[in-house]
Amino acid sequence: MAYLTIQLAQGKKSQIPFDGDLIRVGRSSRNDVHLASDPSLSRFHAEFQHEGDDYYVRDAGSRNGTSLNGKQLTERKLLKPGDRITLGETVIFFASPGETSAVELTDDLSTNAPSRNTVVLPLADIISSNVTSPGASQEITGQTTPQSRAFAVIARAANELLAHRPMSETFEVILDMVFEALSPDRGTIMLLEGDPRVLRSQVVRDARSSSEGQIQISRTIADTVVKQQQSVLIQDARTDERFAAQESIQIQGIHSALCVPLWNNREVIGLLYVDTLGIPGRFQRDDLRLLTLLANLAAVKIENVRLFEGEQKRREMEQELQAAGKIQRRLLPTEDPDIPNYQITGYNLPCKGVGGDYFDFLPLEGNRLGLAIGDVSGKGMAAALLMATVQASFRAHAAAGVEVTELIHRLNLAVERNTMSNKFMTFFYGELEPASGRLVYTNAGHNPPLLFRADGSVEELTGGGMILGVMEDAKYTSHETVLRPNDVLVLFSDGITESQNENEEQFEEPRLIEVVKSCMSETAQEIRGRLEDAVGAFVGKAPQFDDITLMVVKHI
């Protein structure tokens, strides 16, 4: 079976089996892989297809595109092992059938009933049983009973796990205690990760270096432990009828094994597995109980470390975003331009503290005014850095007095040569002559600005060329129109029209047109406010998925 390993922008990974003919990926909940946390994805972004022995990927008409090993997809492509597929800020790796990780879940377990060599105990029964301190008689005689041994191990474990450690070190400390208490040959900790949640190995230990770190665990046992919340002891795998035909058991030489849930007192977050390769029957019921109680302590500690590290990262990110947000806001216009006979205003609301949307007003020679609006693919810090680069390049070239098409050509080169292949930018630039109302512009793949005429008609400002950063030799053309008295020009990013409500419906252009037409007699600032209010009322309590940028120009 092939696998897709999904790596989110935050660094989180999950692995899903490719066990069907089609896997759809996108932001909508109707996809097989629902990635709502990546706002740079389209609702239906890409598709993975399985035909015979071959696997393919294709872009599903997404807004920001899909790349395979750094090259933009324009058609369906055959996948090879290790291929890297990039969708917005999400990276997916393809693993073909036969590839394995340090720990593999196998499907070769017989469905026969458990034999006398296998013990399955409910987690609740073990957790509810008390582990008390040794009695007075035990202290006098010096005898070591299973109860006193369990108490000593649990007490030491509780003490060891009090100290704060990084997650990777915490895993090692847990295995240290397990190996000291039970002396297994091999062991692993697996956690449920991703969406959908799958078991992924976090640490593997092989005391005898017997299998180069490769451990195979029956998927049936894993499901019994994780889904049914039961602890499993296999006292002698080679004589257990359920394992007699299990190839992985025979190959690895497993004699005895324990597999228990990692229960954090609320839910199972994974499993803890150990086995022996030499002596049959080494593990007994008391060992199963002891490992289950150790796993309970370990799961609580793992959850606490997760929460601590998550909160620490969140605070660090918040501080970084606040600082970056302040810097970015200084790059955008802080006040509306004062142009006789015109009202001009702009607005930007990033969805992540910082964003990739850009707008600008730039005074030019001859009393002209440059109007720019753009949208970088992706969101967050990476998009904000590209936006800052474009802003610096735009202002430098505009100040040099180059014509509209030459300016866009130079911006395209700057984006194409200084960014990764999956980053690009839509951009609209126009130069307004206030005295005549003449607007010379070019549109590099941006949402066409809408020119609302005083007579009620609406014109789209299209034409120009392709988005910036895709082709070095892209050609651009200029076009022109005239703003007459009482005309209103609205420039916007797709964060306006693609804003979603709780039913995943989009605001869309017809609603924008309706709102503007209803308030044409008002000021540019009031029209902008009406649009902001309309989008906010439409979205309601749904989260903001994209940066929102809006400019309004009114000839009065």
Side-chain angles (χ1 to χ4, degrees):
M1 180 187 301
Y3 289 87
L4 299 178
T5 298
I6 301 172
Q7 178 175 312
L8 303 180
Q10 304 93 330
K12 294 182 179 179
K13 291 183 179 181
S14 63
Q15 188 179 72
I16 62 171
F18 203 148
D19 53 3
D21 296 327
L22 176 67
I23 294 179
R24 297 181 302 171
V25 181
R27 208 169 63 197
S28 171
S29 58
R30 294 194 293 271
N31 289 284
D32 303 294
V33 179
H34 174 213
L35 299 174
S37 62
D38 188 347
S40 62
L41 298 184
S42 296
R43 287 192 295 171
F44 299 96
H45 198 105
E47 290 183 353
F48 293 85
Q49 302 167 351
H50 179 200
E51 297 178 5
D53 295 329
D54 295 325
Y55 296 83
Y56 300 88
V57 62
R58 78 172 189 90
D59 184 77
S62 67
R63 174 166 50 90
N64 290 335
T66 303
S67 66
L68 175 62
N69 300 323
K71 295 183 178 179
Q72 202 76 8
L73 282 177
T74 57
E75 59 183 355
R76 189 176 79 156
K77 289 290 187 179
L78 180 68
L79 289 171
K80 302 182 297 297
D83 275 349
R84 175 190 179 100
I85 303 95
T86 305
L87 304 78
E89 298 177 356
T90 300
V91 179
I92 299 177
F93 298 93
F94 173 73
S96 65
E99 292 187 83
T100 59
S101 59
V103 178
E104 180 186 11
L105 298 181
T106 63
D107 296 304
D108 56 353
L109 180 62
S110 167
T111 57
N112 294 335
S115 76
R116 58 184 177 83
N117 291 314
T118 299
V119 178
V120 179
L121 297 179
L123 169 68
D125 291 354
I126 299 176
I127 296 295
S128 62
S129 62
N130 293 324
V131 178
T132 57
S133 60
S137 60
Q138 295 171 18
E139 295 176 358
I140 294 172
T141 62
Q143 295 177 340
T144 300
T145 66
Q147 187 79 354
S148 61
R149 170 173 168 262
F151 176 82
V153 171
I154 297 301
R156 179 175 177 275
N159 186 61
E160 282 288 329
L161 293 175
L162 280 176
H164 172 70
R165 298 178 175 89
M167 185 67 83
S168 59
E169 189 176 334
T170 299
F171 291 139
E172 294 294 343
V173 169
I174 293 169
L175 283 190
D176 284 344
M177 294 185 296
V178 169
F179 272 66
E180 183 177 337
L182 300 174
S183 301
D185 291 321
R186 306 185 306 173
T188 184
I189 295 172
M190 302 186 76
L191 297 184
L192 289 166
E193 294 183 337
D195 184 13
R197 299 213 302 171
V198 294
L199 284 168
R200 292 184 59 81
S201 173
Q202 307 298 315
V203 61
V204 177
R205 185 173 298 182
D206 187 347
R208 294 172 46 170
S209 300
S210 53
S211 55
E212 299 181 353
Q214 180 71 38
I215 296 178
Q216 293 177 313
I217 302 174
S218 160
R219 192 179 300 276
T220 302
I221 288 180
D223 287 345
T224 299
V225 170
V226 173
K227 295 180 181 179
Q228 300 178 29
Q229 299 184 9
Q230 300 195 64
S231 297
V232 178
L233 158 64
I234 305 161
Q235 291 177 311
D236 191 348
R238 297 202 169 198
T239 61
D240 190 320
E241 294 179 1
R242 295 198 308 162
F243 298 93
Q246 187 173 343
E247 184 179 358
S248 62
I249 293 289
Q250 305 302 322
I251 292 174
Q252 296 179 94
I254 297 172
H255 279 281
S256 188
L258 297 170
C259 192
V260 301
L262 285 167
W263 167 258
N264 65 6
N265 295 332
R266 292 185 297 106
E267 62 179 346
V268 173
I269 62 171
L271 62 80
L272 176 54
Y273 172 90
V274 295
D275 63 25
T276 65
L277 306 180
I279 304 173
R282 179 189 291 182
F283 296 138
Q284 304 297 323
R285 282 175 177 262
D286 291 330
D287 297 318
L288 182 64
R289 294 180 183 276
L290 176 57
L291 187 62
T292 302
L293 295 173
L294 275 174
N296 177 223
L297 287 176
V300 172
K301 181 61 179 181
I302 289 169
E303 191 68 13
N304 288 339
V305 175
R306 273 178 168 175
L307 292 172
F308 178 83
E309 293 185 350
E311 178 65 17
Q312 194 174 39
K313 289 179 180 178
R314 186 189 66 80
R315 288 181 180 178
E316 291 173 357
M317 182 61 71
E318 274 189 0
Q319 292 173 354
E320 291 177 3
L321 287 176
Q322 287 174 2
K326 289 179 181 179
I327 294 172
Q328 187 177 49
R329 282 190 290 275
R330 295 186 188 131
L331 298 178
L332 299 176
T334 56
E335 57 184 28
D336 297 336
D338 184 12
I339 305 293
N341 300 318
Y342 287 86
Q343 296 168 346
I344 304 174
T345 185
Y347 168 78
N348 171 258
L349 179 64
C351 72
K352 286 188 174 181
V354 293
D357 278 11
Y358 170 64
F359 79 96
D360 211 348
F361 311 121
L362 191 63
L364 304 171
E365 291 183 358
N367 295 321
R368 294 173 299 135
L369 181 69
L371 303 171
I373 186 169
D375 183 0
V376 176
S377 63
K379 302 294 171 285
M381 197 68 73
L385 290 172
L386 178 54
M387 186 278 275
T389 301
V390 170
Q391 189 249 22
S393 180
F394 163 72
R395 290 204 161 199
H397 293 312
V402 299
E403 65 171 357
V404 170
T405 53
E406 178 61 21
L407 187 151
I408 296 299
H409 171 69
R410 294 183 184 184
L411 281 184
N412 177 60
L413 291 178
V415 175
E416 198 276 336
R417 292 173 179 176
N418 295 290
T419 62
M420 296 181 295
S421 60
N422 65 323
K423 289 292 181 184
F424 45 84
M425 184 176 192
T426 66
F427 201 85
F428 175 93
Y429 176 60
E431 294 181 354
L432 175 66
E433 297 175 355
S436 64
R438 179 171 176 259
L439 179 71
V440 180
Y441 68 88
T442 188
N443 190 340
H446 194 76
N447 297 74
L450 299 175
L451 179 54
F452 293 81
R453 295 296 187 183
D455 62 8
S457 61
V458 181
E459 299 174 12
E460 289 187 342
L461 303 192
T462 58
M466 68 190 310
I467 56 180
L468 305 180
V470 175
M471 294 179 58
E472 183 175 340
D473 58 352
K475 305 298 181 183
Y476 297 92
T477 58
S478 64
H479 304 265
E480 65 177 77
T481 189
V482 175
L483 273 67
R484 308 184 189 99
N486 296 318
D487 286 349
V488 174
L489 177 63
V490 177
L491 305 91
F492 57 94
S493 67
D494 57 14
I496 294 277
T497 51
E498 294 187 5
S499 290
Q500 291 185 8
N501 60 21
E502 293 174 281
N503 296 322
E504 295 190 356
E505 299 169 329
Q506 294 188 347
F507 186 75
E508 297 182 340
E509 196 172 285
R511 287 188 178 89
L512 184 153
I513 293 173
E514 181 182 351
V515 172
V516 175
K517 281 189 171 183
S518 70
C519 56
M520 285 282 290
S521 62
E522 299 181 16
T523 67
Q525 288 76 11
E526 289 170 337
I527 293 172
R528 191 196 84 181
R530 290 288 191 95
L531 280 170
E532 292 174 32
D533 292 343
V535 172
F538 175 82
V539 170
K541 296 181 180 179
Q544 181 183 342
F545 282 116
D546 202 354
D547 303 330
I548 291 176
T549 302
L550 178 65
M551 294 172 61
V552 179
V553 179
K554 184 173 183 178
H555 189 173
I556 56 177

